[in-house]
Amino acid sequence: MSESNAPGTDIPVVDLGPYFAGEEGALKRIAAQLRENCETVGFLYISNHGVPQELIDRTFAAAAAFHAQPLEKKMELKVDNAMQGYLPMRGSTTRTSTINANNKPNENEAFFVKGEGQPGVTNRWPDVPGFKETTQAYYAALEALAQRMLPLYACALDLPAEYFDTKCDHPFSSLRLSHYPPVKEYAENQFGIAPHTDSTFITLLAQNKVPGLQIRRRDGVWIDAPVIEGTFIVNTGDTLHRWTNGRFLSTPHRAFNISDQPRYAIPYFFHPNAETLVECLSTCRVEGEEPLFPPMTMGDYMAWFRRKNYDHLRKAEPAAAAE
């Protein structure tokens, strides 16, 4: 059986094993599951994804080791205008979502890693044993997983299986190693990370031993995303939402940490190439209507998104409107 629902939720669990094994009919069957999910929920779990658990565990340990450093050491690698490096606690405020207004700065800190092949990227690395090697290996594994999934999304949209391949072969992606300290009681409009949607094509999130992720159903009810060992959570982001003319949902989500221990998260944000033009797909056009979103390159969209959400970029010249 290749699909079920996470306990007590509407979030499906999709087994990618048959597809990766080349089983006859698996591509079309799982693509149909993705289509239904992306049009109704926007979040799913994937099992048999092929990423070694040992590498996932090492990456969580690397995140913990980085954030355990003294603040002054982390600040030596303070995040730059290319969004590489250390983002201090409360250094971001979620402003792109209309789900929740007047948000306080997010109660998390993070370290951003970019793909070494991206133009202008020069990652700066902390003096933490094994950190560079582990995060590079994890980044490569998640990039490979995302690209292996592209034919599923293409088929789900009635496009040739290879449609997205050349549009995403030099992805403008990033890995975020986040730390959410315990907060006994959050104030009004205070969150580990406030309600938001991701900027991505898709986001891949390894399962965290400390729960805290919630997603917003279409009826406005917030539900917990339970921890299911051995899976990744995958969600559709704003890029695919725009590309599909709103057909595929970009579902709001948020996170807290009300436990008595630190919570770490290692989301990988998969984007198309910086120069890829994101405009309404032919299979998503509505006859007689203009597309909901203007065409934008991935690079221009990300410049707008970052200026809206990160304090150190907020004084920069505004990018062209993306809404």
Side-chain angles (χ1 to χ4, degrees):
M1 186 172 180
S2 59
E3 182 178 20
S4 59
N5 274 8
T9 77
D10 302 318
I11 310 173
V13 182
V14 176
D15 181 2
L16 295 185
Y19 164 62
F20 286 156
E23 182 179 299
E24 185 176 357
L27 172 60
K28 288 186 176 180
R29 184 176 72 252
I30 296 175
Q33 294 171 1
L34 281 183
R35 181 190 305 116
E36 180 180 3
N37 171 262
C38 288
E39 292 178 346
T40 58
V41 183
F43 268 75
L44 67 149
Y45 296 82
I46 55 171
S47 61
N48 291 315
H49 44 71
V51 180
Q53 187 62 46
E54 181 272 339
L55 177 58
I56 297 170
D57 293 342
R58 273 199 291 128
T59 307
F60 273 115
F66 172 81
H67 288 296
Q69 296 180 108
L71 178 60
E72 57 268 23
K73 288 294 293 182
K74 292 183 283 190
M75 289 297 288
E76 291 175 3
L77 300 174
K78 189 176 180 181
V79 68
D80 58 21
N81 287 349
M83 288 305 297
Q84 300 164 167
Y86 172 64
L87 182 73
M89 188 69 68
R90 306 178 193 91
S92 66
T93 306
T94 304
R95 298 178 188 270
T96 53
S97 174
T98 58
I99 299 300
N100 196 82
N102 303 314
N103 297 320
K104 292 181 171 63
N106 293 312
E107 291 292 320
N108 73 71
E109 57 183 335
F111 187 83
F112 290 89
V113 176
K114 309 288 288 184
E116 294 286 353
Q118 294 180 27
V121 167
T122 306
N123 284 310
R124 294 168 296 150
W125 300 104
D127 186 20
V128 175
F131 183 91
K132 177 180 178 180
E133 295 76 14
T134 295
T135 55
Q136 285 183 322
Y138 187 73
Y139 190 107
L142 272 288
E143 181 176 302
L145 172 58
Q147 290 181 331
R148 290 181 77 188
M149 293 176 68
L150 288 176
L152 291 169
Y153 285 91
C155 289
L157 291 162
D158 299 313
L159 296 166
E162 68 279 4
Y163 181 84
F164 291 115
D165 292 358
T166 58
K167 296 173 175 58
C168 301
D169 55 357
H170 300 290
F172 194 51
S173 302
S174 63
L175 173 65
R176 175 177 175 141
L177 307 177
S178 300
H179 167 225
Y180 297 83
V183 177
K184 187 174 182 180
E185 186 175 348
Y186 288 85
E188 184 179 0
N189 292 330
Q190 183 184 39
F191 305 87
I193 188 165
H196 68 286
T197 56
D198 290 346
S199 62
T200 55
F201 185 102
I202 57 172
T203 301
L204 298 170
L205 180 66
Q207 285 296 296
N208 195 315
K209 296 185 185 303
V210 179
L213 176 65
Q214 295 182 329
I215 74 167
R216 187 177 184 267
R217 294 192 324 204
R218 299 184 78 179
D219 61 4
V221 174
W222 287 94
I223 61 172
D224 292 326
V227 174
I228 303 178
E229 291 189 11
T231 68
F232 276 87
I233 294 176
V234 183
N235 63 279
T236 308
D238 294 345
T239 295
L240 194 52
H241 179 70
R242 296 168 69 90
W243 228 338
T244 61
N245 203 29
R247 178 179 166 189
F248 280 13
L249 304 178
S250 184
T251 299
H253 49 288
R254 64 189 185 185
F256 301 92
N257 183 13
I258 57 173
S259 75
D260 58 358
Q261 58 187 304
R263 180 178 185 269
Y264 300 97
I266 51 174
Y268 171 76
F269 302 109
F270 183 74
H271 296 91
N273 304 344
E275 68 277 9
T276 293
L277 186 66
V278 178
E279 59 181 338
C280 182
L281 295 166
S282 60
T283 56
C284 297
R285 289 187 175 274
V286 178
E287 188 174 355
E289 296 183 10
E290 288 295 315
L292 296 175
F293 307 100
M296 290 187 76
T297 66
M298 192 69 246
D300 286 344
Y301 178 74
M302 284 305 299
W304 171 85
F305 180 87
R306 288 169 176 171
R307 287 184 177 110
K308 291 283 285 185
N309 288 284
Y310 294 102
D311 295 340
H312 70 291
L313 299 176
R314 202 152 286 153
K315 293 181 181 178
E317 192 76 19
E323 296 176 315

